[in-house]
Amino acid sequence: MKQLFYFFAVLFFITASALGQSKKLSYGPYVEALINQGKLPAASKVGTGAGVGMNVKLLTGWSFTASAGYVCFKGNSTQKNSTVTDYQVIPVRLGVAYKLPMPAVYIKVETGTATAIGHGTKAILTPGLGVHLKSLDVEAKYETWIWEDTNSIIGVKAAYSF
């Protein structure tokens, strides 16, 4: 896990230094709200997350995207007042985005891994539809975590870019 983190950190800094002065690179923090559509072990239906993402413009209308973050679904309380642990996930995603002919609207497809702390690693597939206005980016997404069982999540992601 540490090697993957270091790899993305080095990749981010190399890309940022190479493309930072041109207007081809944007990066920044994001927050997201998620609603669980499947069955997560002992977790509530609503989760929140935060992280950092970057976007590199490739060809006209096309961009490469990357993000890494942290998501937490709070544990449910039982009737005996004992609490259940939170379901914590570290998602790492890579993908492509295409700017539609409509002003500021894009579609995005990302894939990667979701490392659930204490529950193993799952594959991620995330299509989304978003709007990018100056430095603010808002995206509606449908995320699927694939492992022994498939879990679906719908969410809204808001990002600020530099």
Side-chain angles (χ1 to χ4, degrees):
M1 182 65 190
K2 284 184 181 180
Q3 291 87 358
L4 187 63
F5 174 77
Y6 292 137
F7 170 76
F8 280 110
V10 168
L11 179 65
F12 174 76
F13 287 116
I14 289 172
T15 306
S17 63
L19 300 173
Q21 298 304 314
S22 70
K23 299 228 175 185
K24 292 186 177 194
L25 172 72
S26 60
Y27 59 92
Y30 69 83
V31 294
E32 58 187 344
L34 306 165
I35 300 173
N36 178 19
Q37 301 296 305
K39 296 180 181 179
L40 291 178
S44 68
K45 286 267 188 206
V46 179
T48 56
V52 65
M54 77 174 196
N55 189 340
V56 179
K57 292 180 183 175
L58 300 173
L59 302 171
T60 304
W62 289 94
S63 298
F64 168 76
T65 63
S67 65
Y70 172 79
V71 174
C72 181
F73 288 89
K74 289 290 186 185
N76 292 331
S77 297
T78 62
Q79 292 189 6
K80 295 181 180 178
N81 254 353
S82 64
T83 58
V84 180
T85 60
D86 298 342
Y87 191 76
Q88 302 172 33
V89 180
I90 300 170
V92 176
R93 304 177 196 94
L94 300 173
V96 293
Y98 179 72
K99 186 180 177 306
L100 295 175
M102 296 179 285
V105 178
Y106 66 88
I107 57 173
K108 184 193 303 187
V109 176
E110 293 180 309
T111 187
T113 62
T115 303
I117 298 171
H119 298 280
T121 301
K122 300 179 180 203
I124 298 176
L125 179 61
T126 309
L129 177 66
V131 176
H132 184 79
L133 303 169
K134 296 193 180 191
S135 295
L136 181 64
D137 189 336
V138 178
E139 175 188 357
K141 62 182 187 170
Y142 179 82
E143 191 161 285
T144 304
W145 296 352
I146 305 163
W147 182 244
E148 295 167 354
D149 56 342
T150 300
N151 193 65
S152 300
I153 297 168
I154 58 173
V156 176
K157 181 178 182 179
Y160 183 80
S161 60
F162 300 101

